[in-house]
Amino acid sequence: MGLHVEENLTVEISNVELSVSVGSRPSSLKSLLVNRKHPTVRKLILNVPHFIAREGDRICVIGKNGNGKTTFMKVLAGIFTPTRGQVWTRSKPTAVLAAGIGMEDELTVEENIDVSLLLRNLTSGQIRELKRGILEFCELTTDANKQFKHLSTGYRSRLAFATAICETPRILLLDEVLGGGDEFFMKKANSKLHETIAVSQTAFIATHGPDEFDGVCNRVLVIEEGRITFDGEFSKGVDFYRKSNS
């Protein structure tokens, strides 16, 4: 791991690998008993020898499904612990990685917001004010007492997104969180998204539609089979990705 001597360094990854156990499903009780003593086979799903990000970086993370975009984001967020190597971040990332990640099904909308904000060591007055804004933004004010599990996927995404970005993030991680919704909400949400990206120190946006972030992002990461195959200027990265998949 580097010494992080650069004042504007916000993220550094060093020799990170993530592997998972794999194996075929046993076809019978006999095969399960016969194979249970065999060593577990592991598959390497992420391999990043070195990566850094600095203040001002707006990084578009692209790659085909199943190639490691979300895994990379979850390692950055601290949700997945690498098998080896280290991930250093100057501050705790604000992550919105899936519809409702970090929310509890059995809690109400309001209770989920309260728990999320309490974990940030905010005062009761700050929580009250932020919660009102979150509910209004999500259009969930009248459903504040509804259990989270009874929300549609779209409203789960709204709530996770709004709760995560209710304060200015230093390191922002977004993974395809605004995939649907009515036209008017999407316009409002995209405006808020771009505003939040602009005020963050460093932003990572995993997407299948990089053209939407042309002029917003200055850098592209292409991830293929768990490895970064391109890291550089936005337009060159998009061209590289499309040519490699044409």
Side-chain angles (χ1 to χ4, degrees), residues 113 117 120 122 125-136 162 166-167:
I113 296 172
L117 298 184
R120 303 184 195 183
L122 300 173
Q126 289 172 318
I127 289 174
R128 243 187 339 267
E129 185 66 26
L130 289 170
K131 179 165 59 178
R132 182 162 54 247
I134 291 168
L135 290 170
E136 289 175 358
C166 66
E167 292 186 292

Side-chain angles (χ1 to χ4, degrees), residues 106-118 131 144-145 147:
E106 299 302 322
L107 297 182
T108 67
V109 168
E110 185 172 6
E111 289 168 342
N112 267 299
I113 296 172
D114 286 339
V115 170
S116 296
L117 298 184
L118 279 169
K131 179 165 59 178
N145 294 317
Q147 282 184 299

Side-chain angles (χ1 to χ4, degrees), residues 147-183:
Q147 282 184 299
F148 183 76
K149 66 182 179 182
H150 295 310
L151 296 180
S152 68
T153 300
Y155 275 101
R156 291 182 183 200
S157 295
R158 291 186 186 195
L159 184 59
F161 173 75
T163 303
I165 65 169
C166 66
E167 292 186 292
T168 301
R170 291 183 173 87
I171 301 172
L172 177 66
L173 310 177
L174 291 167
D175 187 0
E176 297 282 4
V177 293
L178 295 175
D182 64 79
E183 179 183 355

Side-chain angles (χ1 to χ4, degrees), residues 6-215:
E6 292 184 51
E7 287 186 7
N8 66 344
L9 202 66
T10 55
V11 175
E12 184 172 7
I13 295 175
S14 183
N15 298 316
V16 160
E17 292 182 358
L18 180 64
S19 59
V20 295
S21 300
V22 295
S24 57
R25 187 183 182 90
S27 57
S28 65
L29 177 60
K30 179 181 178 181
S31 65
L32 176 61
L33 294 172
V34 168
N35 293 321
R36 67 178 178 175
K37 294 182 180 180
H38 291 186
T40 302
V41 176
R42 300 189 68 83
K43 178 183 179 182
L44 185 64
I45 62 171
L46 189 69
N47 183 8
V48 183
H50 191 246
F51 168 84
I52 61 172
R54 298 178 174 88
E55 289 182 21
D57 273 338
R58 309 286 183 261
I59 302 169
C60 194
V61 183
I62 56 178
K64 293 192 293 186
N65 284 338
N67 272 247
K69 292 193 310 297
T70 297
T71 300
F72 175 78
M73 299 287 271
K74 287 183 176 180
V75 166
L76 275 180
I79 296 169
F80 288 169
T81 302
T83 309
R84 69 181 292 263
Q86 290 181 298
V87 177
W88 174 87
T89 58
R90 187 168 293 281
S91 56
K92 181 176 175 58
T94 295
V96 191
L97 302 180
I101 193 166
M103 300 286 176
E104 295 292 333
D105 277 349
E106 299 302 322
L107 297 182
T108 67
V109 168
E110 185 172 6
E111 289 168 342
N112 267 299
I113 296 172
D114 286 339
V115 170
S116 296
L117 298 184
L118 279 169
L119 292 174
R120 303 184 195 183
N121 297 317
L122 300 173
T123 67
S124 58
Q126 289 172 318
I127 289 174
R128 243 187 339 267
E129 185 66 26
L130 289 170
K131 179 165 59 178
R132 182 162 54 247
I134 291 168
L135 290 170
E136 289 175 358
F137 182 86
C138 296
E139 300 169 5
L140 282 170
T141 302
T142 58
D143 289 318
N145 294 317
K146 180 181 285 189
Q147 282 184 299
F148 183 76
K149 66 182 179 182
H150 295 310
L151 296 180
S152 68
T153 300
Y155 275 101
R156 291 182 183 200
S157 295
R158 291 186 186 195
L159 184 59
F161 173 75
T163 303
I165 65 169
C166 66
E167 292 186 292
T168 301
R170 291 183 173 87
I171 301 172
L172 177 66
L173 310 177
L174 291 167
D175 187 0
E176 297 282 4
V177 293
L178 295 175
D182 64 79
E183 179 183 355
F184 300 104
F185 177 79
M186 289 302 295
K187 183 177 180 180
K188 177 174 70 172
N190 276 304
S191 175
K192 183 63 175 177
L193 171 63
H194 284 75
E195 174 190 320
T196 304
I197 292 170
V199 298
S200 63
Q201 288 183 348
T202 304
F204 294 81
I205 304 102
T207 181
H208 291 292
D211 291 339
E212 180 184 349
F213 297 98
D214 188 6

